[in-house]
């Protein structure tokens, strides 16, 4: 175990049919903590799925704060945390991740659970709902990626270019990847993991005693073309690259990822969407969207809003959830003022109240 565990949290390595997963649980949970394989007698089971460039370590304070009688499990995705590093095949969207999570739940014998997915993890749990609805009691989407992926789409989810130019693995800052791979914990560069955490994961000025732990979590990310960020292909469309078939960022490219068909499911578990008003990553004008960077003059040669408009991410999420509700589902949107991309760590008491009310 390389990650720092808070008192009251234990880790277990779980071999599955797909990969060997690192799973965190509260020490009082007899199922994961003691290594049993049958479902616990807890009234509620909540399973946490982390986002990109992070791990299950981010969930620990929230897990510890859940009421007694709630079973809390956090899964490290492949290539993150202490789980096995295996290639990520992006042409399957996020299914490598969602099928891995399903394999863990099958191994634990949980039955249907309350799934909480953060950022990319929101896309993972939506995909799991599509493919394994038998495992889903409810969804909580935390600062989730849009159901139409990240970048390159209009409001209705249609592609701006056939190959989704400007999305996927080609858009990442190579210095950030190098510093991740080197285990950099410093703050001497805007591309350091710590600087990126402060600028993008949380709202400006947010401080916490756990910052070193969050940076440690980020540094567990496996790097390379088969993992983070992935590869890219050339295109004639601006800005000159399109998604490749390998690696993490390409899993969310809109050529491969689309979970909007959750609106067509015959059985619709309730969906809670929580996000921060100051989210720098998922927003209508995200500076992680190449088209927004072009519009701001950061990336030269932008062809203009008629050709390459920024992705209206929040509008897309809201529209899909409104359709989900119109087709018989139950949804709730909660916006935390003053919070960035990580409301579960920035607004822990408010987040806990919303989550416990949702899964009760």
């Amino acid at each position: 175990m390389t990650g720092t565990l808070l008192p009251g949290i234990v880790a277990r390595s779980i071999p599955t049919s797909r990969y060997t997963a690192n799973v965190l649980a509260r020490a009082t949970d007899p199922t994961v903590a003691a290594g049993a394989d049958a479902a616990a007698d807890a009234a509620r089971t909540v399973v946490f799925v982390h986002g990109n460039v992070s791990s299950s370590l981010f969930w620990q304070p929230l897990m510890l704060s859940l009421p007694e009688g709630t079973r809390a499990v956090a899964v490290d995705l492949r290539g993150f945390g202490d789980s096995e590093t295996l290639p990520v095949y992006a042409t399957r969207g996020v299914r490598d991740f969602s099928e891995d999570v399903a394999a863990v739940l099958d191994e634990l014998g949980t039955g249907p659970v309350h799934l909480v997915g953060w950022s990319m993890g929101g896309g993972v749990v939506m995909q799991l709902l599509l493919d394994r609805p038998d495992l889903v009691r409810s969804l909580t989407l935390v600062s989730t990626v849009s159901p139409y992926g990240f970048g390159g789409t209009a409001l209705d989810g249609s592609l701006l270019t056939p190959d989704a130019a400007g999305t996927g693995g080609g858009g990442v800052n190579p210095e950030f990847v190098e510093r991740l791979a080197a285990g950099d914990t410093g703050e001497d560069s805007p591309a350091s993991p710590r600087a990126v955490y402060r600028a993008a994961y949380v709202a400006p000025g947010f401080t916490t005693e756990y910052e070193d732990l969050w940076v440690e979590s980020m540094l567990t990310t496996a790097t390379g073309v088969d993992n983070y960020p992935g590869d890219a292909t050339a295109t004639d469309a601006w800005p000159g690259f399109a998604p490749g078939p390998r690696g993490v960022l390409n899993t969310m490219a809109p050529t491969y990822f689309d979970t909007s068909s959750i609106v067509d499911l015959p059985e619709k578990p309730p969906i809670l969407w929580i996000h921060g008003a100051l989210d720098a990553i998922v927003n209508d004008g995200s500076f992680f969207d190449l088209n927004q960077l072009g519009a701001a003059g950061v990336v030269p040669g932008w062809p203009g809003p008629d050709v390459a408009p920024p992705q209206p991410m929040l509008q897309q999420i809201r529209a899909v959830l409104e359709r989900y509700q119109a087709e018989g589902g139950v949804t709730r949107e909660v916006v935390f003022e003053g919070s960035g991309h990580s409301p579960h760590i920035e607004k822990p008491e408010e987040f806990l109240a919303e989550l416990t009310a949702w899964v009760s």
Side-chain angles (χ1 to χ4, degrees):
M1 178 71 199
T2 57
T4 300
L5 298 182
L6 299 181
I9 296 290
V10 295
R12 177 187 170 199
S13 182
I14 300 180
T16 76
S17 59
R18 293 184 51 79
Y19 80 135
T20 299
N22 182 64
V23 175
L24 302 188
R26 295 194 288 191
T28 53
D29 178 355
T31 303
V32 175
D37 292 319
D41 293 331
R44 296 175 297 276
T45 298
V46 184
V47 175
F48 298 94
V49 181
H50 64 80
N52 191 17
V53 192
S54 65
S55 74
S56 60
L57 295 178
F58 268 91
W59 295 117
Q60 293 182 92
L62 177 61
M63 294 169 69
L64 291 169
S65 67
L66 288 171
E68 184 179 353
T70 303
R71 180 186 182 198
V73 176
V75 180
D76 279 338
L77 302 175
R78 63 172 61 191
F80 297 94
D82 277 334
S83 281
E84 183 179 6
T85 296
L86 292 173
V88 176
Y89 298 100
T91 56
R92 308 184 69 238
V94 295
R95 282 188 174 91
D96 275 350
F97 296 134
S98 62
E99 291 176 7
D100 287 349
V101 174
V104 172
L105 301 185
D106 286 341
E107 189 68 28
L108 292 175
T110 61
V113 299
H114 299 283
L115 284 161
V116 181
W118 172 37
S119 194
M120 180 182 75
V124 173
V125 299
M126 284 190 282
Q127 189 65 60
L128 197 150
L129 171 60
L130 285 171
D131 297 338
R132 289 292 305 276
D134 58 300
L135 291 175
V136 182
R137 193 177 300 275
S138 75
L139 292 188
T140 297
L141 306 177
V142 185
S143 307
T144 184
V145 65
S146 165
Y148 298 115
F150 201 95
T153 56
L155 178 59
D156 64 358
S158 57
L159 293 172
L160 300 179
T161 64
D163 57 2
T167 72
V172 73
N173 183 338
E175 183 185 349
F176 174 62
V177 180
E178 291 170 3
R179 288 175 177 268
L180 271 181
D184 176 24
T185 61
E187 50 186 299
D188 62 324
S189 166
S192 71
R194 188 178 299 272
V196 170
Y197 158 79
R198 292 175 179 174
Y201 283 44
V202 295
F206 174 77
T207 60
T208 171
E209 63 182 301
Y210 298 120
E211 179 172 299
D212 287 346
L213 179 57
W214 305 153
V215 174
E216 178 186 346
S217 176
M218 295 171 70
L219 293 174
T220 68
T221 303
T223 58
V225 293
D226 282 327
N227 297 101
Y228 180 84
D231 60 0
T233 58
T235 178
D236 292 333
W238 182 88
F241 69 87
R246 303 157 65 188
V248 174
L249 288 184
N250 294 316
T251 67
M252 294 175 282
T255 43
Y256 306 138
F257 178 91
D258 184 346
T259 59
S260 62
S261 59
I262 59 173
V263 302
D264 300 319
L265 290 170
E267 301 293 332
K268 295 181 173 65
I271 298 178
L272 172 64
W273 173 31
I274 301 178
H275 58 107
L278 303 179
D279 193 333
I281 298 176
V282 177
N283 219 319
D284 293 344
S286 166
F287 273 80
F288 285 72
D289 179 353
L290 263 290
N291 288 354
Q292 178 62 40
L293 291 174
V298 177
V299 178
W302 182 58
D306 293 338
V307 176
Q311 181 188 10
M313 301 179 189
L314 298 184
Q315 294 181 61
Q316 290 178 336
I317 300 166
R318 192 169 291 120
V320 169
L321 293 182
E322 287 175 353
R323 287 169 53 204
Y324 189 88
Q325 183 158 302
E327 294 296 325
V330 174
T331 67
R332 172 172 166 77
E333 177 183 354
V334 178
V335 182
F336 287 158
E337 298 299 326
S339 175
H341 190 61
S342 311
H344 54 299
I345 63 174
E346 297 173 78
K347 301 287 185 179
E349 294 181 1
E350 296 94 328
F351 190 96
L352 176 65
E354 290 289 345
L355 180 62
T356 53
W358 192 250
V359 305
S360 61

